[in-house]
């Protein structure tokens, strides 16, 4: 499952992953924590990739709330955050800390290549 604030970005990531891996990515149409968790549960998602930004419902706190709900419904679902480390260095630091503390399973900066993102998600 992919959840970003820009549907064009979600679609591009989804297409890239579909074309270059054996994953079957879907985009999350709802962007509130409960909607994201409900959709993940409905499709038994294995991985949830969520963009972290300043605006709600994409804020770090909103994404952490979604992560907690997803983990309640699907304890085996791997959660990764995507953030822009150049435009939002403070968010990037929070995301990195969330990984260090074990709250999320992985994170990616927007500057990574599509091939790296596909390979890393495939190994989660």
């Amino acid at each position: 499952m992919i959840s970003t604030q820009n549907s064009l970005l979600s679609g591009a990531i989804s297409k890239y992953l579909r074309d270059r891996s054996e994953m079957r990515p879907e985009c999350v149409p709802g962007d509130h924590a409960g909607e994201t968790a409900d959709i993940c549960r409905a499709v038994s998602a294995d991985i949830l990739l969520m963009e972290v930004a300043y605006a709600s419902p994409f804020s770090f706190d909103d994404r952490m709330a979604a992560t907690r709900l997803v983990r309640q419904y699907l304890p085996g679902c791997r959660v990764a955050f995507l953030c822009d480390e150049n435009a939002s260095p403070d968010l990037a630091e929070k995301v990195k800390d969330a990984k260090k503390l074990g709250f999320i399973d992985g994170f990616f900066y927007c500057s990574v290549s599509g091939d790296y993102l596909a390979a890393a998600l495939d190994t989660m």
Side-chain angles (χ1 to χ4, degrees):
M1 297 303 300
I2 302 166
S3 176
T4 67
Q5 63 180 337
N6 180 321
S7 61
L8 184 60
L9 176 60
S10 290
I13 292 171
S14 178
K15 181 178 180 352
Y16 195 92
L17 294 174
R18 205 175 299 113
D19 291 350
R20 291 185 171 72
S21 72
E22 295 189 18
M23 288 183 264
R24 296 179 322 275
E26 297 293 331
C27 299
V28 176
D31 292 314
H32 297 286
E35 291 176 81
T36 299
D38 288 343
I39 293 167
C40 286
R41 183 169 70 173
V43 300
S44 298
D46 294 317
I47 300 172
L48 172 60
L49 175 65
M50 293 187 285
E51 180 183 15
V52 177
Y54 289 113
S56 187
F58 308 99
S59 72
F60 179 81
D61 291 339
D62 293 328
R63 294 314 202 173
M64 288 303 298
T67 298
R68 285 188 292 277
L69 286 173
V70 167
R71 298 232 193 258
Q72 282 179 2
Y73 297 147
L74 296 166
C77 183
R78 312 295 264 157
V79 177
F81 286 173
L82 176 68
C83 65
D84 187 333
E85 77 281 13
N86 295 317
S88 311
D90 55 325
L91 285 179
E93 193 66 27
K94 283 183 171 184
V95 167
K96 184 175 78 171
D97 288 344
K99 169 60 176 134
K100 280 183 186 177
L101 295 170
F103 296 137
I104 60 173
D105 301 298
F107 72 94
F108 303 97
Y109 292 142
C110 290
S111 60
V112 300
S113 71
D115 287 334
Y116 177 80
L117 180 63
L121 288 173
D122 200 33
T123 63
M124 290 182 84

